[in-house]
Amino acid sequence: MTKQFSTFYLQHLMFGVESQNIQEVLRTVELTEVPLAPKAIAGLMNLRGQIVSALDLRQRLELNDRQKAHPPTGVVIRTVDGLMGLLVDGIGDVMDVDESTFEESPETLAPQMRSVIVGVHKLKGNLMHVLDTSSVCDLKGLQDAKA
Amino acid sequence: MDDLIKEFLVESNENLDRLDTELVKLEGTPDSRELLASIFRTIHSIKGACGFLGFQKLETLTHAGENLLSKLRDGKLVLTPEIGSALLSMVDAIREMLAAINVTEHDGEDARVGLIDQLKELLEQEPVSVATSRRAMARENCEESKPESKVATPAAAGRSKKTPHVGKLGGTLVEQRCVKPEDVARALEAQEGGDTRPIGAILVGLGLLKSDELAEALRLMEERRSKATSQDSTIRVQVTLLDRLMNLVGELVLARNQVLQYAAQQKDNAFLGTIQQLNLVTSELREGVMKTRMQPISRLFDKVPRVARDVSVGCGKQVHVDTEGKDTELDRTLLEAINDPLTHLVRNAIDHGIETPDSRVRAGKPPEGVVRLRASHEGGQVLIEISDDGAGIDVEKIKSKAVERGAIGADQAARMSSTEALNLIFLPGVSTAEKVTNVSGRGVGMDVVKTNIEHVGGSVEIQTKLGEGSTFKIKVPLTLAIVPVLVVRSVGRRFAIPQMNLVELVRLDAGQSGSGIELVHGAPVYRLRGRLLPLVYLDRELKLREEEPNGQNILVLQVDSRRFGLVVDEVHDTEEIVVKPLGKHLKGIRVYAGATIMGDGQLALILDVPGLAESAGIKTESPDGQTIKASALNTKDTVEKQKLVLFDGANGSRMAIPLNALARLEKLAGSDVERSGNEWVVQYRGQILPLIHLSRVLEVRRDGGLAPNDTTFPPPGSIDVLVIQENGRLFGLIVNTIIDIVEDTTEVRIPATRAGVLYSAVIGQRVTEMLDVSGILQAPEQGVVERSKAMAVVPV
């Protein structure tokens, strides 16, 4: 059994989301900030007339803040609650990977990340982190910017 | 479901709505043959379809009703109130059965034997005099042919020419009793015999018909024909399709706006001409699509007589319903939204407003009361007035009732203006009814009336004069899809503020910015025509600026009857925008109503003025009644004693909760606690009880469910749990220890210092925090409770 993943990068880490969950990739992202919004929400995007919230994956995955000089790329995914934009550093290839290369996340992974990164595919010279799209969009329990 | 059944349901339901109106009308004019014929036809067609679709019980019921109706129509029976009631309950029964069919595709278990027997019994009543019955018989001949008239025009052409038919001139003439059927037959024979003149001319020629009668008959036929075609020219369309069209048109309008802005910089004439065309077509298209969603308010008004009849019969009053402006159109979603409030206000008007016939006569009024419904357009809004000529509302009575309920204090009541006092009836629990009747106990309360109307951006106003009656004025926008807003700017960001809430604009003098603003112990106010207007800085509310809040423009905004000033940097134009909802992560932020795409393609957030007022601490009667309760609680006059449960909420903080808010107090074993997803739960009386750890909710103000990786939980021993029932769902609130149950007042109190707490009060001689149960259950991050978000009530 192979699955098709679309990959992208965050701080040299490779992430993958199943291609069937991806609607499109945006080379440039124009954001309208939302004051008082949770910190992980970078703002709103105008996707051809539809308003889509953009989630800063660096924030969400507790990585370092992105440098201003490197504007993010947008990955629009389909979730049960509609479309959601993910801000990533750059886009990688679309890959077919075999399930045999999959392994669950190690126990040492930070607990709050365990539901988000369900596991990795062991690729040649690289690990592809498999994101769970519904938990990544679930901001419950995250520190709120309001406080 | 079968398409046939679906169509049958839609059609029958529509017909039933009409039936209600017609039956009530019929009671006023018992011998209107037109009404009787129409009612009979409706029941008859339902019966026919039932037989065809195999709904036997419904068929039997309609059959019984049909028999009764046919006797009425034939004049063998006269319509008595008894028969009227029986027929109306038949309509109700049919409606229930249709509802059952809609769900189960089966006409239910209840065969309505009682009702059928009643209908049969009424059938056996003594016949009326022969004379009337003969007159009715004559009518029947006309009525029989009438139903066919609709299809007659094209279809009847092939029929036997010998039968005089309404669709044809001969039939019409017979119906008008200008000629006898035999005469028509003679004329037809003449035609067959080679006479080429039209039938009317032959009849006139034979001296059987006057030419003006002929002209009249021809006119009548023409009228009917156009009616028949107008019925054919409408089609049924799925509402979802219309909604989609509306959305698409909204997109188109936005795209058009963007193109227009771009075009302003262009010089190509051909392009500009095309854009102009696009602009015009878009506007027209928008109007057209908006019209498809518009429906006349008669859809609501027509139901009122039936409601009024039921209520007035129920409480022994005589009421006449008057309607005006039935053709006023508004968006169907709004129509639905005001349906319940309207019905409730009408019931109220009859039940509380209109007096009994005796006391009306004593007061020098006619025994029959009048409820007047009036709808009209007023400045882009729809104004609906519901007025009665009843007793009016006794302001003093409301005040004392509100004081009695603890909603306001006695001195507060004394200070209140009568308008303010009237608004008290929108508080839950404050009723003007002397006694709870069948009518006033039913349906939605006044607080829900207000909530529903405000939910669609409308408002309710009351005017009353003791002894002369009351008027409720409902104002709702024409449509929800497109709203006029004022665009403002604060710290470089654009925000849209609905015009609906805007009262006026005040510009502070740029040279001496801030000069008009004074401080009341740190709280900024502005002297507006001699009165202090509390000010809210948008940049401070939204945490946009690090430094001191700033701004040169004050928008005077109104929520309910309260006004406040919103200070912003710049005021731009007004604009018509399409409201788009925010994603689920942003829905919890109360200051936003949505977002929109501006002409330049950029997004702007739409501010929710009531939400903004609330977050800024302006006390308003918010839709969910939350703040008014809090403010009611803050007044010191409620000396009522109540039973309170004292407990150690978290880290030794002494807290209380009213006993009646609790379902049970439980001690659960830590080992019984299980994990379900991200929640801790226990099995409790055959249910799964979600647990909320109070100390966590209070301390970190986030995630009331436990972090799933928490190793300190569950503890090995037992845990104290307050089981709370909220909206039919049970929740377990984990506390450290339950201390006691006491009966005390919460007279001495100070405002809360943290979220999740209503206030602090002296209970049992110690300062205790009163827990805000619904606040905790409703915290936006509180996933457990999100599902049952609606209408949490803190028992006072």
Side-chain angles (χ1 to χ4, degrees), chain B residues 140-212:
Chain B
E140 186 192 15
N141 288 332
C142 311
E143 298 298 342
E144 280 297 280
S145 45
K146 224 178 177 181
E148 294 169 46
S149 67
K150 278 186 208 150
V151 286
T153 326
R159 290 200 182 192
S160 157
K161 284 181 181 163
K162 292 266 166 78
T163 359
H165 195 276
V166 178
K168 307 283 270 181
L169 179 62
T172 313
L173 287 170
V174 174
E175 189 202 32
Q176 293 298 302
R177 274 175 252 173
C178 304
V179 293
K180 294 197 191 79
E182 306 92 76
D183 297 339
V184 179
R186 259 175 67 193
L188 284 169
E189 269 162 33
Q191 231 176 11
E192 271 170 11
D195 198 331
T196 52
R197 289 176 299 167
I199 200 158
I202 300 177
L203 284 168
V204 175
L206 288 169
L208 295 166
L209 181 69
K210 288 186 204 119
S211 51
D212 56 335

Side-chain angles (χ1 to χ4, degrees), chain B residues 400-408 428-431 638 640 796:
Chain B
S400 58
K401 200 99 179 189
V403 173
E404 193 182 304
R405 295 270 166 159
I408 54 165
V430 179
S431 165
T638 42
E640 228 172 89
V796 178

Side-chain angles (χ1 to χ4, degrees), chain B residues 571-582:
Chain B
V571 174
H572 291 252
D573 233 343
T574 60
E575 216 168 302
E576 296 221 314
I577 56 149
V578 180
V579 180
K580 304 199 170 237
L582 292 173

Side-chain angles (χ1 to χ4, degrees), chain B residues 155-404:
Chain B
R159 290 200 182 192
S160 157
K161 284 181 181 163
K162 292 266 166 78
T163 359
H165 195 276
V166 178
K168 307 283 270 181
L169 179 62
T172 313
L173 287 170
V174 174
E175 189 202 32
Q176 293 298 302
R177 274 175 252 173
C178 304
V179 293
K180 294 197 191 79
E182 306 92 76
D183 297 339
V184 179
R186 259 175 67 193
L188 284 169
E189 269 162 33
Q191 231 176 11
E192 271 170 11
D195 198 331
T196 52
R197 289 176 299 167
I199 200 158
I202 300 177
L203 284 168
V204 175
L206 288 169
L208 295 166
L209 181 69
K210 288 186 204 119
S211 51
D212 56 335
E213 282 176 338
L214 173 65
E216 171 66 20
L218 284 170
R219 195 192 53 76
L220 194 72
M221 270 176 65
E222 187 54 42
E223 208 171 79
R224 286 193 183 156
R225 197 170 292 154
S226 66
K227 218 184 220 169
T229 41
S230 81
Q231 271 167 358
D232 292 345
S233 68
T234 58
I235 52 164
R236 284 182 205 286
V237 182
Q238 288 283 330
V239 172
T240 47
L241 177 65
L242 289 182
D243 288 347
R244 250 193 77 211
L245 278 178
M246 188 68 222
N247 282 341
L248 287 173
V249 167
E251 302 298 337
L252 185 63
V253 168
L254 292 174
R256 188 252 340 240
N257 292 351
Q258 288 174 38
V259 173
L260 279 181
Q261 256 187 20
Y262 173 71
Q265 304 145 18
Q266 302 299 310
K267 291 204 173 74
D268 185 341
N269 275 334
F271 176 66
L272 291 178
T274 320
I275 294 299
Q276 192 56 31
Q277 180 68 7
L278 174 74
N279 186 9
L280 287 175
V281 173
T282 311
S283 302
E284 260 174 53
L285 183 64
R286 192 190 86 178
E287 250 167 62
V289 172
M290 266 171 74
K291 256 190 207 143
T292 61
R293 294 166 48 96
M294 296 296 219
Q295 286 182 316
I297 200 160
S298 57
R299 276 181 60 106
L300 298 187
F301 279 10
D302 285 351
K303 290 183 189 160
V304 170
R306 166 76 200 267
V307 173
R309 179 198 179 272
D310 287 358
V311 178
S312 53
V313 168
C315 52
K317 292 174 184 175
Q318 293 174 20
V319 178
H320 173 72
V321 178
D322 235 5
T323 53
E324 209 175 290
K326 269 189 181 188
D327 302 331
T328 311
E329 289 193 320
L330 67 167
D331 196 284
R332 53 174 297 283
T333 41
L334 285 160
L335 214 55
E336 273 161 29
I338 58 172
N339 184 12
D340 287 349
L342 186 77
T343 316
H344 187 74
L345 288 174
V346 169
R347 281 169 194 260
N348 264 3
I350 297 168
D351 194 29
H352 307 332
I354 306 274
E355 314 90 325
T356 54
D358 303 350
S359 44
R360 284 184 68 87
V361 171
R362 251 179 278 133
K365 296 183 194 175
E368 192 183 53
V370 178
V371 172
R372 191 165 283 120
L373 301 172
R374 185 187 295 159
S376 58
H377 286 290
E378 196 188 271
Q381 290 188 314
V382 178
L383 175 69
I384 302 158
E385 285 182 18
I386 298 126
S387 51
D388 61 71
D389 65 345
I393 301 169
D394 189 341
V395 177
E396 292 308 316
K397 211 192 273 176
I398 296 173
K399 282 188 188 173
S400 58
K401 200 99 179 189
V403 173
E404 193 182 304

Side-chain angles (χ1 to χ4, degrees), chain A residues 8 17-18 21-24 52 55 75-79 82-86 132-134 136-137:
Chain A
F8 49 83
V17 171
E18 268 192 71
N21 292 331
I22 296 207
Q23 152 127 351
E24 62 188 289
V52 177
L55 185 72
V75 177
V76 180
I77 58 168
R78 288 184 282 259
T79 73
L83 296 180
M84 186 82 190
L86 304 179
D132 181 285
T133 48
S134 61
V136 95
C137 296

